[in-house]
Amino acid sequence: METLIVVGIIVLLVVIIGIYLWSTYNGLVRLNVRVDEAWSDITVQLKRRADLIPNLIETVKGYAAHEKGVFEAVAQARAESISASTPADAAVAENHMQAALKSIFAVAEAYPQLQASQNFLQLQGELVDTEDKIQASRRFYNGGVRELNTKIKTFPNTLYVRSLGFHEREFFEVADAAAIAEPPRVQF
């Protein structure tokens, strides 16, 4: 009888541990998929912004064709943004894109007739909307990364989850915090 009780307790412990491992594994898979989805959302919004930029450049070029350096910087930042494949690369590209967009809006400030252009205003509005969506996507991504990394680092998960193929993910952080310390000013 005692042997039967001991075997029953061992079986119960094995079942509890099995359920815990199964639950933890499935939770990590869900979080991993959520982070992948969030990263995909960021890339979609970055692509949307990259698609808007040539139209913005063409609109501004019509008024300020001699500002070639500004247009080249924006084109370079756009190419960098499209080719970014990791959060770190995207953060660097994001800094370059912010600087390039500031310069193009600075050029636009010098041309009152451009500021009154309906096409320019519409593109600017779409760009602002896209920037808001990028920020929301970044927050969603970083929230998913936080949850995943926390689950990976939590004891006792930290003892075995890496052997299951789960690794901490990288946050989408701005490489140059000073560049975003003050929001860009666009005056018309």
Side-chain angles (χ1 to χ4, degrees), residues 65-170:
H66 61 282
E67 302 284 354
K68 185 178 179 183
V70 171
F71 302 129
E72 289 173 357
V74 172
Q76 175 65 30
R78 179 182 181 269
E80 232 179 277
S81 179
I82 290 173
S83 66
S85 60
T86 67
D89 292 343
V92 169
E94 186 73 13
N95 286 339
H96 294 154
M97 180 62 74
Q98 292 296 328
L101 288 174
K102 283 180 189 177
S103 64
I104 201 162
F105 284 121
V107 167
E109 287 180 18
Y111 297 90
Q113 67 274 29
L114 171 62
Q115 295 171 24
S117 163
Q118 187 62 33
N119 193 21
F120 178 75
L121 293 174
Q122 179 184 0
L123 287 169
Q124 186 182 27
E126 287 181 33
L127 194 58
V128 167
D129 180 53
T130 301
E131 291 296 328
D132 290 343
K133 289 177 182 176
I134 290 170
Q135 294 305 316
S137 297
R138 284 176 59 182
R139 283 191 300 274
F140 183 68
Y141 172 81
N142 283 341
V145 168
R146 181 192 65 242
E147 288 179 39
L148 178 65
N149 289 352
T150 300
K151 192 154 190 166
I152 289 172
K153 289 179 179 181
T154 304
F155 182 82
N157 299 348
T158 192
L159 299 175
Y160 66 90
V161 295
R162 286 179 179 80
S163 64
L164 296 174
F166 294 100
H167 301 284
E168 294 172 34
R169 300 289 284 269
E170 193 177 343

Side-chain angles (χ1 to χ4, degrees), residues 18-96:
I19 290 172
Y20 173 77
L21 292 175
W22 172 70
S23 173
T24 300
Y25 180 81
N26 286 341
L28 286 167
V29 167
R30 277 191 298 277
L31 287 172
N32 215 21
V33 168
R34 186 180 303 156
V35 169
D36 288 341
E37 174 193 14
W39 178 249
S40 176
D41 289 347
I42 289 173
T43 59
V44 165
Q45 294 306 323
L46 292 175
K47 174 75 170 111
R48 181 174 184 245
R49 179 177 63 188
D51 290 345
L52 284 172
I53 288 174
N55 295 329
L56 184 66
I57 289 174
E58 288 305 314
T59 302
V60 175
K61 261 187 189 180
Y63 291 91
H66 61 282
E67 302 284 354
K68 185 178 179 183
V70 171
F71 302 129
E72 289 173 357
V74 172
Q76 175 65 30
R78 179 182 181 269
E80 232 179 277
S81 179
I82 290 173
S83 66
S85 60
T86 67
D89 292 343
V92 169
E94 186 73 13
N95 286 339
H96 294 154

